[in-house]
Amino acid sequence: MKKPVLISLFNQKCPRCREGKFFKYSALHIRFDEHLESCSHCGLKYEGEPGFFQGSLYINYAINVAMIITLFTALKLTFDPALHIYYIIIIGFILSLMTFIYRFAKICFMYLFSGVKYDEKLSS
Ligand SMILES: [Zn+2]
């Protein structure tokens, strides 16, 4: 049965088999950004070339900017607080989600730009 790409993306699974884990540790671990060398299920090597995942920083930046604009607009339309309150809320929000956003950007980059296609035969 074909596994939906969005569910695999949010569960941070291998882009080829959508079964194996991508990251070594949880998002709350100090080494939250380390990923496995290869998929434990299908053996796909995740980092095809050195520095491949540096491009994920662009996705990370875009997600953060989108969140800042959304949060700023929501605050402006609802409470319209003083300027320093904007800074405190937005920076606190971004910092608290930093590890999750970075990991999501990295796995998005892997799905979009690695050139790996889903192989239904590899998933159980
Ligand atoms: Zn795999």
Side-chain angles (χ1 to χ4, degrees):
M1 190 174 95
K2 189 172 182 173
K3 296 192 173 208
V5 65
L6 283 179
I7 291 174
S8 302
L9 192 64
F10 281 104
N11 287 331
Q12 300 169 342
K13 299 292 184 184
C14 166
R16 187 163 73 183
C17 65
R18 297 183 187 168
E19 291 283 337
K21 276 175 50 176
F22 182 75
F23 289 102
K24 278 184 186 174
Y25 308 104
S26 79
L28 302 175
H29 194 275
I30 191 75
R31 295 159 71 180
F32 66 91
D33 67 329
E34 284 187 26
H35 59 83
L36 296 166
E37 293 217 359
S38 60
C39 176
S40 59
H41 188 79
C42 71
L44 172 69
K45 195 174 172 201
Y46 287 138
E47 193 163 0
E49 57 193 55
F52 173 74
F53 287 107
Q54 287 181 353
S56 68
L57 295 174
Y58 293 107
I59 295 177
N60 185 35
Y61 176 76
I63 293 171
N64 279 311
V65 168
M67 286 179 61
I68 289 169
I69 291 171
T70 304
L71 198 55
F72 179 84
T73 306
L75 286 172
K76 181 77 176 170
L77 293 176
T78 54
F79 303 113
D80 197 17
L83 187 61
H84 68 282
I85 302 295
Y86 279 112
Y87 285 126
I88 291 169
I89 292 174
I90 290 174
I91 290 172
F93 191 76
I94 293 295
L95 286 179
S96 65
L97 294 177
M98 182 179 70
T99 60
F100 299 99
I101 295 169
Y102 180 74
R103 287 164 62 103
F104 184 70
K106 198 168 180 176
I107 195 81
C108 277
F109 192 77
M110 179 77 185
Y111 271 70
L112 289 172
F113 299 109
S114 67
V116 175
K117 300 288 178 218
Y118 174 56
D119 190 349
E120 197 172 331
K121 286 176 252 158
L122 291 172
S123 63
S124 54

